[in-house]
Amino acid sequence: MSLFLIGCGPVVARQNGTPDVIATESSGPPYAQLARLALDGEIVLDATIRSAARIPPAEATGLAPGHVRFYVTADVSALIRASGPLPARVGYLVDVPFDPRGRAPNLKRQRVIAFARAVAGRPDQVQLLTPDAQFAWTPALDQRVRGVVRDVLAPDAPPAVTGIGNAFHVPGTLPGEGETQIFLKTANGNPVSLLILRRPGEEKRWALSLGDIIDEAGGAPQRDTLAWYRLACGLPDTLPEASLQSQDDDNATIAREDYAFVRQQLGRCDDGR
């Protein structure tokens, strides 16, 4: 069971060491990347790098061009998420790009937020999830990460989308009127569906339903929310033909158009993969 801790002092964490890149963009990583990391990892920590020892290139297997690998020790100032206690100081490997002058950056005393996993049998080690799972700390990023973790751990968090079930379009009584319903498959089996509405003289609109009742009351999820992420990063690009087996050609064509409309409205999944 995950433990969500905010603003606690030095706490213990365990994890192992593998490469990670520190993002330096002032805007910070996109929401989708933070959501993916928060979902994939069991540890999110706020720490300050105490020391950084450069790993010789010959020993840095898989190091990307233009990067340098360090073994760092970091003092944990807060656990944003952890499945158990962590020591006040942890070590891990991190890959970072050279600075614009082609030199290795100075990581000592840099405050970071890192997404990691525990290392079996090594409570004082953590392993970063990906080469870009560590970021320079800023107040704005700290707030964003805590919000994402809070959403991920919420009891009513939207489930992962694993595929699409049945989809069908029902024409209305007026020309150009109709509704398309698309039922989604989820990792936990909870019902999730999309409703796309066509009304004469109105712009097309759509809604997400998290439950058995399908209606437009909830509307479309706001961008940079967990519900948006589940759809933007979980839905396939096109509606599978198997989902339209019960539809005639005309209704199937409209259902495809409505699904494409939803995909366009959601936008790109910029999750850093």
Side-chain angles (χ1 to χ4, degrees):
M1 178 156 181
S2 296
L3 178 64
F4 181 49
L5 304 172
I6 298 181
C8 53
V11 200
V12 180
R14 64 173 189 274
Q15 200 174 6
N16 72 351
T18 48
D20 254 66
V21 170
I22 295 178
T24 58
E25 302 85 30
S26 58
S27 60
Y31 177 90
Q33 185 174 8
L34 295 178
R36 173 176 63 84
L37 294 170
L39 288 162
D40 289 349
E42 56 191 18
I43 298 171
V44 184
L45 54 85
D46 172 353
T48 300
I49 295 175
R50 183 180 183 86
S51 66
R54 185 171 178 175
I55 305 298
E59 300 176 15
T61 304
L63 183 65
H67 288 68
V68 57
R69 181 168 299 170
F70 290 96
Y71 175 78
V72 305
T73 58
D75 293 329
V76 180
S77 57
L79 287 178
I80 300 174
R81 180 183 184 182
S83 55
L86 297 178
R89 185 172 299 162
V90 295
Y92 54 87
L93 292 173
V94 58
D95 289 1
V96 296
F98 289 110
D99 65 21
R101 296 172 296 178
R103 300 176 181 176
N106 181 14
L107 302 184
K108 191 174 181 180
R109 291 186 292 275
Q110 182 176 4
R111 187 176 178 183
V112 298
I113 290 179
F115 295 80
R117 63 174 63 90
V119 176
R122 296 294 305 274
D124 62 338
Q125 299 291 303
V126 296
Q127 179 181 14
L128 300 181
L129 296 179
T130 69
D132 54 1
Q134 174 177 287
F135 307 95
W137 185 95
T138 66
L141 179 60
D142 183 270
Q143 184 177 11
R144 290 177 64 209
V145 169
R146 291 174 188 273
V148 171
V149 171
R150 189 178 296 112
D151 292 344
V152 165
L153 297 180
D156 59 348
V161 174
T162 59
I164 296 180
N166 293 327
F168 58 90
H169 176 76
V170 179
T173 56
L174 299 175
E177 184 180 42
E179 297 183 358
T180 296
Q181 295 183 17
I182 302 172
F183 296 91
L184 307 183
K185 299 177 183 179
T186 61
N188 61 7
N190 288 352
V192 174
S193 58
L194 307 175
L195 177 65
I196 301 94
L197 302 171
R198 293 170 175 248
R199 298 290 184 266
E202 299 179 10
E203 290 188 1
K204 189 189 303 185
R205 64 185 188 277
W206 70 283
L208 168 69
S209 296
L210 300 173
D212 295 314
I213 300 176
I214 303 173
D215 60 36
E216 57 183 295
Q222 291 187 353
R223 187 177 178 86
D224 291 352
T225 61
L226 189 58
W228 167 85
Y229 168 80
R230 289 302 200 188
L231 298 178
C233 299
L235 291 175
D237 292 336
T238 58
L239 196 60
E241 290 301 312
S243 299
L244 298 167
Q245 290 181 346
S246 63
Q247 296 285 280
D248 61 33
D249 290 344
D250 290 341
N251 287 337
T253 296
I254 295 176
R256 293 188 195 97
E257 292 174 355
D258 287 348
Y259 181 79
F261 167 73
V262 171
R263 288 295 307 157
Q264 184 272 330
Q265 291 281 300
L266 287 169
R268 181 167 163 262
C269 171
D270 188 8
D271 67 355
R273 292 187 188 277

